[in-house]
Amino acid sequence: MRRVEHIMGFPISLLIEDEGTTAEAAEPAFDWLRQVDARFSPFRADSEVSRLDRGELAPHELSPDLAEVLDLCEEYRVATGGAFDVRLPGRGLDPCAMVKGWAVQRAADLLTERGARRLCLNAGGDVAVTGGPWRVGVRHPELADRLCAVLEVGEGAVATSARYERGDHILDGRTGRPATGLLSLTVVAASLTEADATATAAFAMGVEGIEWAASREGCEVFAVSADGKVHRTPGLPVAATA
């Protein structure tokens, strides 16, 4: 069963390789993602995030989901010394860097809770998989038609932060300026919540983010620094060549 929808500003594709699975089986996951888009988008004036940012909601009035996301954001802000920050001066509250991986992982969990055994959920190039092995390509940061690595993941997630899709969109919260030092950084972790947030936070830190990401429990890292050098952790699950 294959299904693709455009939600939260990027394509989300689902592949379930369980015999007899119908398109209806995916509806709870995609419905959840549509709800997240409506409730968490800083670009929607009526979203919970926008209402909080305007001071219309007190901390005790937040939904448990938003409280959880904001707690995760604070955890990463502290861990990176402020490089990862969803409350930059002069900008509104924007937790999108945390929401994407968290929401897509929750969607994948909904599917497995409902019996899906072998699935790949791809959100704009970041993937959550189960029932593998699955092969996941890591795009070359400067050559759009080439891969610089192919990973093999059975259970878990892969996320990449880079400049090639949206330019210098990741800011270093310590300076308020675009992050420099890396062309791309990929993280393999047990969940897309961890993989995506760690990749974004490490990219915001620059070259020092490689070692920081690699030091996080359960994370494997593949990175290309601005000078073209490749860095990877020993446990990176590189696929065997045919």
Side-chain angles (χ1 to χ4, degrees):
M1 190 277 294
R2 296 177 184 269
R3 180 166 170 176
V4 181
E5 287 195 27
H6 199 275
I7 307 173
M8 297 192 290
F10 45 81
I12 298 178
S13 64
L14 171 65
L15 172 61
I16 299 180
E17 293 189 343
D18 295 342
E19 187 175 349
T21 301
T22 64
E24 288 73 23
E27 188 55 35
F30 282 93
D31 182 58
W32 157 253
L33 292 169
R34 288 189 291 267
Q35 290 180 41
V36 169
D37 192 25
R39 293 168 51 205
F40 288 71
S41 173
F43 308 108
R44 294 175 180 245
D46 61 345
S47 73
E48 187 178 4
V49 165
S50 294
R51 292 172 61 211
L52 173 62
D53 196 37
R54 292 195 300 266
E56 297 172 6
L57 293 175
H60 69 275
E61 297 176 305
L62 301 184
S63 68
D65 287 337
L66 182 54
E68 179 183 346
V69 166
L70 293 178
D71 284 346
L72 286 168
C73 290
E74 178 62 10
E75 175 188 325
Y76 277 80
R77 187 193 68 80
V78 172
T80 61
F84 180 94
D85 198 338
V86 299
R87 298 179 183 271
L88 293 173
R91 293 171 174 257
L93 171 64
D94 184 358
C96 290
M98 181 63 67
V99 168
K100 177 185 177 184
W102 171 84
V104 174
Q105 183 61 54
R106 181 80 66 86
D109 292 343
L110 284 171
L111 293 166
T112 57
E113 288 166 6
R114 285 163 171 75
R117 296 183 300 276
R118 178 172 167 81
L119 69 84
C120 177
L121 187 56
N122 185 323
D126 298 333
V127 301
V129 301
T130 190
W134 293 91
R135 289 199 167 202
V136 181
V138 178
R139 176 178 154 174
H140 193 290
E142 296 180 305
L143 303 172
D145 61 343
R146 290 183 57 187
L147 300 177
C148 53
V150 177
L151 308 177
E152 186 169 274
V153 182
E155 307 280 337
V158 181
T160 298
S161 288
R163 298 175 179 173
Y164 50 70
E165 288 288 352
R166 298 169 55 194
D168 291 327
H169 67 289
I170 299 176
L171 303 182
D172 182 341
R174 299 167 297 187
T175 65
R177 298 180 61 81
T180 59
L182 297 175
L183 295 181
S184 71
L185 186 142
T186 298
V187 174
V188 182
S191 77
L192 194 55
T193 307
E194 176 78 10
D196 194 25
T198 299
T200 303
F203 194 94
M205 296 175 74
V207 173
E208 65 180 297
I210 301 172
E211 183 175 350
W212 174 82
S215 72
R216 294 184 66 82
E217 184 176 357
C219 290
E220 300 294 342
V221 180
F222 181 93
V224 182
S225 51
D227 58 7
K229 292 182 179 178
V230 173
H231 311 257
R232 71 182 192 183
T233 53
L236 189 74
V238 178
T241 57

